[in-house]
Each structure stands twice: as structure tokens, then as C-alpha cells.
Amino acid sequence: MAVSRKRLSWRLLRQALDTTTKLASFVMFILVGATIFSMVFQAADGPVWVEHLLTKLPGGHLGFLIFVNVLVFFLAFFLDFFELSFIVVPVLAPIADKMGIDLIWFGVLLAVNMQTSFLHPPFGFALFYLRSVAPEKPYVDAHTGKTMEPVTTMQIYKGAIPFLLLQLSMVAILIAFPALVTGGLDKPVKVDMKAVEQQMLQDLNETDQSSDFNTIVVPGGNAAPATGDGNKAPNPASGGGLPEAGSGAGDSSFGPVGGEANDPMKAIQDSIGK
């Protein structure tokens, strides 16, 4: 019994790995195909054609939204959520952006619409999942002991219609009330670049007027006039250079005789202050 359970566990694990590998290969195939399609579509100036077609629809933004949602709804009959996300959405998003439509709201709207691809045939995955667990033959209920009729595929399709209508109603509500999505988003900050440029020029002018390059500000707060060329080193003979040996400033700023200055900049500032 233990051996049979172990074999069963390994068999289930192998089946799970095989299913995961197939699903990953399927997703990779979709991604590669969508990338190739996008490259060819871009090379053929497809987005320009689609933009000219959709921007000239009657009704402005409303006409564009109605056409796009009807298109996505019918494409969902034959394409899965992944195909629609990687093929159709990259074509429609730039057009919506140029028309001034909020892309976050537009993405939520398309996501709600694309959820209908799980609920209607011929590729509704939710219908396939339900079909896999629903009884296909009459069975005896374990609790009541009564014979239960099987669930047919047509009953599953009919049962999905109310949920499909709920999804379409949500699409209409989102179009009518965009604030349901955009109400909690941060408002975009508009910056007047011309006003910023004028303010920067005004600040630069005030800085130039307040600066006096003929004076040197010393740490003590006093301003001393700058003599000679600013690029030339101060002349020690004129008293504007380094302090003489033996002076207090020199003793505090320099080490032993013949040694190097501990803080040359402080010595220069002290001499200028005198």
C-alpha cells in the first residue's frame, strides 16, 4: 500500500510538472508571436493607419470608446486574455493617450471587458473548467440518495449569460462614471514652464546685482577691498602675505620653524583680517 501511494504521488507530481511546462511553453509562444507581430506592425506603419482610422470616428472620445470595447468584446470570442493584452492593447493605448484619455482608467476599462473572454464560447476557459467538474452522466447524490441528472454543456452556456451581462454592465458604468477609477488617483500637476523660466531669470538678475566682486568677505564679517589682480598671490612685503615668523598668528597657524602650515587657509584669512 505504501509503495502504491508513493507511485501515485510521483505520478501526480510528474503530471503537474508536465502541465506547468506546457503552460510555460504556451505563454512563451504567445509572447514571441506577439513581439514579432508588433515589430512587423510597427515596420509597416500600422499604428499610423489605425490612429487615422480611430481618430476620425464620429462621436469623439465616446465613439472611440464604444468602438474599442465592441471590438475587444468580439475579439474575446477567439482570442484569450493574453493575446488581447500583448497584441491589441499596445495598438490602442498610444491612440488613447494622444486623444487625452486617462491611461489608467482606459486600462481598467479594457481589463473588465477582456474578462468576458472567460465566460463565452468558443474559448471561454471558465466554461471549460466547469465542464471538467460537472457530471456528464446521472449519479446518485451521497446525502439525499436521489438520482441527479447530468449537467449539459448548453446549460453551462446559458448559466454564464447573467455573469456576462454583469461584466458588460460594468463596462457601461465605467464609461459613464470614470470617477469610479480616477477619483482616488493623484491629480496631475501642471507646471507653467514660461513662468518658471521668468522666475529663474529674475533670481539670476537679483544675484548678479547683490554680488560685489571688488570686496572680499572675511570670517569676521568685515569686507576688505581686493587689491591687484585676483589671480596673483599676495605680496608678503606689502603686509598682505603670510604672517612673519614669531608673530602670534604665525605661531597659532604654523608648526615649528621650517615646518609646514597646519591650516594655510586660516593663516591667510587671519592675515587679511589684520
Side-chain angles (χ1 to χ4, degrees):
M1 177 66 86
V3 175
S4 62
R5 287 182 179 179
K6 186 175 182 180
R7 289 180 179 178
L8 181 60
S9 300
W10 279 108
R11 185 180 302 174
L12 293 176
L13 179 60
R14 186 179 303 174
Q15 291 178 356
L17 291 176
D18 292 341
T19 304
T20 305
T21 303
K22 291 179 181 179
L23 181 60
S25 302
F26 177 70
V27 173
M28 288 299 298
F29 178 77
I30 293 174
L31 292 176
V32 172
T35 303
I36 295 174
F37 171 79
S38 299
M39 294 174 61
V40 175
F41 194 72
Q42 292 284 345
D45 291 335
V48 178
W49 298 353
V50 175
E51 180 181 353
H52 290 171
L53 175 64
L54 297 181
T55 53
K56 294 181 180 179
L57 291 173
H61 290 182
L62 182 60
F64 170 77
L65 292 173
I66 293 175
F67 177 82
V68 166
N69 282 278
V70 172
L71 176 65
V72 171
F73 176 74
F74 280 103
L75 287 177
F77 278 87
F78 311 101
L79 297 177
D80 188 19
F81 177 83
F82 293 102
E83 289 89 342
L84 292 173
S85 300
F86 291 108
I87 297 177
V88 179
V89 175
V91 177
L92 298 176
I95 303 173
D97 190 18
K98 289 184 178 180
M99 296 182 68
I101 298 175
D102 188 273
L103 292 183
I104 298 179
W105 170 72
F106 188 68
V108 173
L109 183 65
L110 291 183
V112 174
N113 195 341
M114 285 187 289
Q115 284 181 347
T116 59
S117 63
F118 294 91
L119 298 175
H120 52 59
F123 297 106
F125 284 99
L127 306 179
F128 297 158
Y129 301 151
L130 184 58
R131 177 69 279 174
S132 65
V133 298
E136 299 180 358
K137 299 178 181 179
Y139 67 98
V140 178
D141 185 65
H143 297 282
T144 62
K146 297 181 179 179
T147 301
M148 308 298 294
E149 295 295 329
V151 179
T152 63
T153 303
M154 188 57 62
Q155 288 176 340
I156 295 176
Y157 288 167
K158 291 181 179 179
I161 292 177
F163 298 96
L164 188 62
L165 295 177
L166 285 175
Q167 290 291 133
L168 296 178
S169 300
M170 282 302 304
V171 172
I173 291 173
L174 287 178
I175 294 176
F177 305 100
L180 293 174
V181 177
T182 60
L185 301 177
D186 295 334
K187 301 298 181 183
V189 179
K190 295 183 180 181
V191 180
D192 189 359
M193 298 306 298
K194 292 184 179 180
V196 173
E197 182 180 359
Q198 293 177 359
Q199 183 65 32
M200 292 177 64
L201 292 175
Q202 183 179 356
D203 293 342
L204 288 175
N205 292 332
E206 292 178 357
T207 304
D208 293 340
Q209 293 175 1
S210 62
S211 300
D212 186 2
F213 297 101
N214 295 324
T215 59
I216 300 177
V217 179
V218 296
N222 298 323
T227 59
D229 190 358
N231 296 326
K232 294 182 180 180
N235 187 6
S238 61
L242 297 176
E244 297 180 359
S247 64
D251 294 340
S252 63
S253 302
F254 291 86
V257 177
E260 296 182 356
N262 294 330
D263 192 353
M265 293 301 299
K266 184 178 180 181
I268 294 173
Q269 291 175 358
D270 293 339
S271 63
I272 293 174
K274 289 185 176 181

